[in-house]
Amino acid sequence: MTTRLRSIHSRSIRSLRRPLAVLVAAAGMSMSTAQAGEVEVLHWWTSGGEAQAVGTLRDLLESEGHSWKDFAVAGGAGDSAMTVLKSRAMSGNPPSAAQINGPEIQEWGELGLLGNLDDVAAEENWDELLSPVVADMMRHDGHYVAVPVNVHRVNWMWANPAVLEDAGVEIPTSWDELFAAGDALREAGYVPLAHGGQPWQDATVFETVALSLGGADFYRQAFVELDQDTLESDTMIEALETFKRLRELMDEGMPGRDWNLATRMVIDGQAAMQIMGDWAKGEFTAADMQAGSDYLCAPVPGTADDFIFNIDSFAMFQLEDEESTAAQKTLARLILQPEFQKTFNQLKGSIPARTDLDMSGFDSCAQRSLDDFKAASEGNTLVPSVAHRMAMRSDVQGAFFDIITNYFNDESMTAEQAAQRLSQAASLAL
């Protein structure tokens, strides 16, 4: 961790650390009274495809005699869920398991609230099953405290082939091709690019543009290392300008629209394309559509050799009750079992967190995603998502979100001004 990130992390942790002794004691009392074998699970999987996917985990847990208490908090990218989790933790009543991703696992680990899964990991050979980049994110201070559910690719473009054919265009491989296709699609009566005007969705699109124009090294320097010169560079200004120009391809109804409703526009033939992570594929699957015929997938223009990853994971909170702890560890074990990994990821649209599974039952988009994940790992073009809590601490990410979405929606703000503000936000990490 860089000195700058340690500083900003310390500020984010201090607000939770003050009542830590009281919190831990209260959490112990609360969990000691939990129903035997019950696991309360906080997550934000509430759309059609996501709800089906998480239901498979519930069914597996209950088949082993434990009970699942669902704690679903709607809201894309988990912002609402994290607010609720912090409130529950501060009141001394955290859930048994919570969907926590990326660097935030370390933040909760440093508060001393997460349980130790080393015994489950050793019994199930997690070190052998997981790629190093995935395993490292599941550990705090050398110990497993979380278990990965999947790996998402963020830099995907989804398209309705019937709409493209009607407008006489093909799925684009460059930004120039996309803007040219946009003109033809508008003339044919379609929305070229479906989008939901929410900060995390804006950031999702922006990070793919930045990667396409700058490459993996540029991306890491800007968003992981928070290098101020990179954030103010000509390449970043070009990325911001291209990002803002994408508004020309979107419809006026985008403000506040949920991501799955934007996906539905592509499914229903209102819109031609959407830039969104592969959880969008879960919506196509739920609509009984087939990859390659009913819908198309392609890397975002200019990112065919790159892979922006988002790893969904469940962190386990410390419990005092032995039976509830046993149920919690059963949950952790089940998450990486082949049966769940295959069923869940086929429904969710993602690829398995473990790399040894037979992918013959997965669709062509998932098979390509796994191949590209392995190639990007070997080629050092695997980068963590800014929009999905993988690249930076939560308070830095929040500042970036504000700047990106304000710039996208403010006609008067220039790309140079936005770049300077991103650099200034990074300087707060010093």
Side-chain angles (χ1 to χ4, degrees):
M1 189 189 306
T2 66
T3 302
R4 290 181 291 178
L5 285 180
R6 287 194 188 96
S7 175
I8 200 160
H9 167 65
S10 297
R11 292 195 295 274
S12 66
I13 290 298
R14 280 199 295 270
S15 62
L16 286 174
R17 182 173 286 150
R18 296 185 185 99
L20 180 57
V22 175
L23 187 157
V24 173
M29 290 187 291
S30 172
M31 290 303 172
S32 67
T33 60
Q35 179 182 339
E38 178 182 86
V39 178
E40 184 180 22
V41 184
L42 182 148
H43 63 90
W44 57 84
W45 290 326
T46 57
S47 74
E50 292 174 325
Q52 289 183 44
V54 78
T56 65
L57 183 57
R58 179 197 62 232
D59 293 344
L60 284 172
L61 183 73
E62 292 180 346
S63 72
E64 297 211 5
H66 301 296
S67 63
W68 170 291
K69 183 177 180 181
D70 201 59
F71 185 9
V73 180
D79 292 338
S80 299
M82 289 302 97
T83 300
V84 173
L85 178 59
K86 289 174 183 177
S87 176
R88 283 281 301 268
M90 290 299 293
S91 66
N93 184 33
S96 309
Q99 188 181 350
I100 302 175
N101 296 347
E104 288 189 349
I105 293 173
Q106 305 305 314
E107 295 182 28
W108 287 100
E110 291 184 23
L111 287 170
L113 295 179
L114 299 183
N116 188 313
L117 298 176
D118 284 346
D119 54 347
V120 181
E123 291 171 5
E124 299 295 314
N125 297 314
W126 287 6
D127 286 347
E128 301 298 322
L129 297 177
L130 302 175
S131 67
V133 69
V134 175
D136 287 348
M137 285 197 165
M138 299 303 111
R139 299 188 187 99
H140 171 70
D141 198 23
H143 301 287
Y144 279 102
V145 295
V147 55
V149 179
N150 55 15
V151 176
H152 281 294
R153 187 181 196 175
V154 178
N155 54 310
W156 274 122
M157 176 175 281
W158 308 95
N160 185 315
V163 171
L164 297 181
E165 182 179 3
D166 188 51
V169 300
E170 297 182 353
I171 195 164
T173 59
S174 70
W175 296 113
D176 286 342
E177 288 181 8
L178 176 60
F179 290 118
D183 293 336
L185 288 161
R186 286 283 192 200
E187 291 178 6
Y190 300 106
V191 176
L193 192 63
H195 183 64
Q198 297 171 337
W200 73 270
Q201 293 190 63
D202 295 340
T204 295
V205 174
F206 172 66
E207 69 184 13
T208 67
V209 175
L211 177 63
S212 73
L213 296 178
D217 288 341
F218 167 85
Y219 184 101
R220 279 189 287 263
Q221 289 168 4
F223 302 131
V224 179
E225 299 172 17
L226 299 177
D227 180 75
Q228 291 179 257
D229 290 338
T230 304
L231 288 166
E232 294 187 61
S233 67
D234 291 341
T235 301
M236 183 61 71
I237 291 169
E238 181 186 4
L240 286 161
E241 289 173 342
T242 303
F243 167 60
K244 197 168 205 172
R245 189 182 169 194
L246 291 174
R247 285 186 64 91
E248 301 170 9
L249 306 179
M250 302 170 184
D251 68 305
E252 295 181 358
M254 71 174 185
R257 178 187 290 144
D258 288 335
W259 70 269
N260 53 308
L261 299 182
T263 306
R264 174 55 62 176
M265 293 172 64
V266 180
I267 292 172
D268 292 343
Q270 293 177 261
M273 294 168 281
Q274 180 189 19
I275 293 173
M276 185 53 60
D278 54 17
W279 49 91
K281 186 155 62 73
E283 299 304 297
F284 290 106
T285 301
D288 199 28
M289 299 177 74
Q290 302 299 314
S293 55
D294 300 320
Y295 69 94
L296 304 176
C297 61
V300 167
T303 68
D305 296 327
D306 305 300
F307 195 113
I308 302 179
F309 69 86
N310 170 33
I311 303 169
D312 285 322
S313 54
F314 282 108
M316 305 296 172
F317 283 82
Q318 290 181 14
L319 304 177
E320 295 295 327
D321 180 79
E322 291 185 5
E323 291 181 335
S324 294
T325 299
Q328 182 191 63
K329 292 191 174 184
T330 297
L331 177 68
R333 172 176 57 80
L334 289 171
I335 285 172
L336 277 178
Q337 289 293 300
E339 179 183 0
F340 173 70
Q341 284 282 305
K342 290 180 179 179
T343 303
F344 177 89
N345 285 292
Q346 286 172 337
L347 288 168
K348 185 71 162 60
S350 44
I351 58 175
R354 51 189 291 174
T355 58
D356 64 328
L357 298 182
D358 178 10
M359 294 290 288
S360 60
F362 286 76
D363 60 50
S364 57
C365 296
Q367 291 176 10
R368 173 169 182 173
S369 187
L370 183 59
D371 289 343
D372 288 354
F373 176 79
K374 292 177 178 178
S377 298
E378 294 175 0
N380 198 31
T381 57
L382 190 68
V383 295
S385 172
V386 175
H388 301 279
R389 305 175 182 277
M390 304 305 295
M392 58 185 65
R393 294 286 177 175
S394 56
D395 43 3
V396 184
Q397 181 205 47
F400 272 46
F401 271 24
D402 288 344
I403 295 163
I404 291 165
T405 201
N406 287 339
Y407 165 72
F408 195 53
N409 292 287
D410 185 350
E411 293 183 1
S412 66
M413 189 186 300
T414 67
E416 288 81 4
Q417 289 172 326
Q420 290 172 359
R421 293 179 188 184
L422 289 173
S423 176
Q424 290 167 359
S427 73
L428 298 177
L430 291 172

